[in-house]
Amino acid sequence: MIASVFGKTRPFNYLTIGILLFVFFITKNIVASESDVSLGYYLQEFLLFVVVFGSSFLINFIALKNELTKSNNYALLLYFVFLLFFSSYFQNKNIIISNFFLLLALRRLISLKSLVSTKEKIFDASFWILIAALFHFWSLFYIVLVFIAIILHVSRDYRNWVVPFIALLAVTLLFFLVNSFFDNSLLSSLMGKTYISFDFYYFENIYQRLAFALFTSLSLFAFVMHIFDIQNKALNMQSSHKTILFSFLLGFGIYIISANKNNGSLAFCFAPLAIIGANFIEKVESNWLREIMIYALVGCAIFFYVMQL
């Protein structure tokens, strides 16, 4: 039932995911909130929900607009499932905002395959990544994807290699301009986020460990399968799918080196993995097997969400 519903692009799918996302987001944050919260807290949470909502539909737009998946909403559904796996994401505003900016960057990099306005797209992608780094510093690692995309699409024009550094100059000037109005407090805050940590003993309960173990197993399986499947894609689409694979690796790399880890830090992997997973589901010919797979994923996601409240 779920597979057949999300097997096509319907307004109903967007409405369903939007409502469910709102319910799960609000429930998680109400449970975690203190009893004497202010009106400002609710306003902040609403704005964060809008960003989460926008991120969910942005990944669906990237997948469909660039023909990374067929005409279905599997990527949207899988992204939603991953959010429930690691609902601590809903409580980390810096990761929520940073992830949104990285999705904006990914959108521009994937569209490089059209070879139209390449320099503008490279600048935009670099700019969004650098802005994302102001909220979660090691999002800066994602800048590697810009150079990978240049290699895959537009490496012959040497000027394309200079554009990311122009974006760096622009963001640096803007940052120090704004920082001057806050008595260097922004710079101090940013510098406090620049250290690397390989401490993976952050799990608060067994359910976070189980969710992490299942997610990494599924990720590894889907990633390896997609590597072998790329050669079956159309030649003009192979570079885009390679960009998605590298995006996943870099997202996982951000999680590995980030300080103050939690499972929500894995959010940087969700978008590319949702596209990779959607491609795998599309290849499953048996309708009942496809339904079982999706029901199992949704069931596990709801279970982990409830147990981590």
Side-chain angles (χ1 to χ4, degrees):
M1 177 67 177
I2 299 179
S4 59
V5 169
F6 284 86
K8 296 181 181 179
T9 55
R10 297 184 175 97
F12 173 78
N13 297 344
Y14 302 109
L15 179 63
T16 301
I17 293 296
I19 293 174
L20 291 176
L21 189 60
F22 179 78
V23 171
F24 286 119
F25 179 89
I26 293 298
T27 302
K28 179 69 175 181
N29 285 284
I30 287 178
V31 170
S33 66
E34 300 176 357
S35 57
D36 56 343
V37 295
S38 64
L39 178 62
Y41 171 82
Y42 289 110
L43 178 60
Q44 174 183 285
E45 293 305 309
F46 174 75
L47 293 176
L48 285 177
F49 168 74
V50 172
V51 177
V52 174
F53 179 84
S55 299
S56 301
F57 288 89
L58 183 55
I59 181 57
N60 190 71
F61 174 82
I62 292 171
L64 295 177
K65 180 70 173 181
N66 297 284
E67 300 180 339
L68 293 169
T69 63
K70 296 179 181 178
S71 183
N72 57 63
N73 291 135
Y74 290 142
L76 173 64
L77 176 63
L78 290 178
Y79 189 82
F80 170 71
V81 165
F82 297 149
L83 292 181
L84 297 190
F85 262 68
F86 306 118
S87 57
S88 57
Y89 166 80
F90 293 144
Q91 298 170 275
N92 196 319
K93 63 180 180 180
N94 286 332
I95 291 179
I96 289 175
I97 297 172
S98 181
N99 184 55
F100 177 74
F101 285 127
L102 291 188
L103 287 177
L104 292 176
L106 180 62
R107 170 181 170 268
R108 297 299 274 171
L109 293 176
I110 293 294
S111 66
L112 278 176
K113 69 181 179 68
S114 68
L115 302 180
V116 176
S117 303
T118 57
K119 293 175 182 60
E120 289 84 348
K121 291 176 181 178
I122 293 171
F123 178 87
D124 289 348
S126 304
F127 183 87
W128 292 130
I129 292 169
L130 293 166
I131 293 295
L134 299 180
F135 293 91
H136 187 82
F137 181 77
W138 288 113
S139 298
L140 185 63
F141 191 42
Y142 212 75
I143 200 70
V144 175
L145 190 64
V146 175
F147 295 102
I148 291 174
I150 292 174
I151 293 173
L152 291 174
H153 297 284
V154 288
S155 60
R156 294 183 179 180
D157 189 345
Y158 73 91
R159 292 171 295 182
N160 291 326
W161 297 91
V162 180
V163 174
F165 298 100
I166 298 175
L168 174 61
L169 177 62
V171 173
T172 301
L173 292 175
L174 287 172
F175 173 77
F176 280 105
L177 177 62
V178 175
N179 181 64
S180 65
F181 287 102
F182 291 91
D183 298 323
N184 292 324
S185 60
L186 295 181
L187 180 59
S188 300
S189 176
L190 181 64
M191 295 304 295
K193 304 173 184 177
T194 57
Y195 64 95
I196 295 175
S197 173
F198 296 105
D199 179 12
F200 294 93
Y201 296 97
Y202 61 83
F203 300 102
E204 298 175 358
N205 53 61
I206 186 63
Y207 301 107
Q208 289 185 358
R209 294 177 183 271
L210 290 174
F212 178 81
L214 180 58
F215 177 80
T216 51
S217 299
L218 292 173
S219 299
L220 180 60
F221 173 78
F223 182 82
V224 172
M225 292 297 292
H226 202 64
I227 289 176
F228 289 107
D229 187 52
I230 281 184
Q231 61 184 351
N232 298 322
K233 304 293 183 183
L235 289 177
N236 65 329
M237 293 301 301
Q238 291 184 10
S239 57
S240 295
H241 283 278
K242 290 176 182 177
T243 302
I244 292 297
L245 289 174
F246 281 115
S247 174
F248 171 79
L249 290 176
L250 291 171
F252 198 73
I254 293 172
Y255 160 76
I256 289 175
I257 65 178
S258 292
N260 300 320
K261 286 183 179 63
N262 60 69
N263 279 350
S265 304
L266 288 164
F268 302 111
C269 306
F270 292 172
L273 186 61
I275 293 175
I276 292 171
N279 275 263
F280 179 80
I281 292 174
E282 290 171 353
K283 290 174 58 184
V284 177
E285 297 181 358
S286 173
N287 290 331
W288 66 267
L289 181 58
R290 191 183 299 120
E291 292 285 355
I292 290 175
M293 289 171 52
I294 293 181
Y295 269 105
L297 284 172
V298 172
C300 288
I302 294 176
F303 171 77
F304 288 130
Y305 174 86
V306 172
M307 300 308 296
Q308 294 178 60
L309 283 176

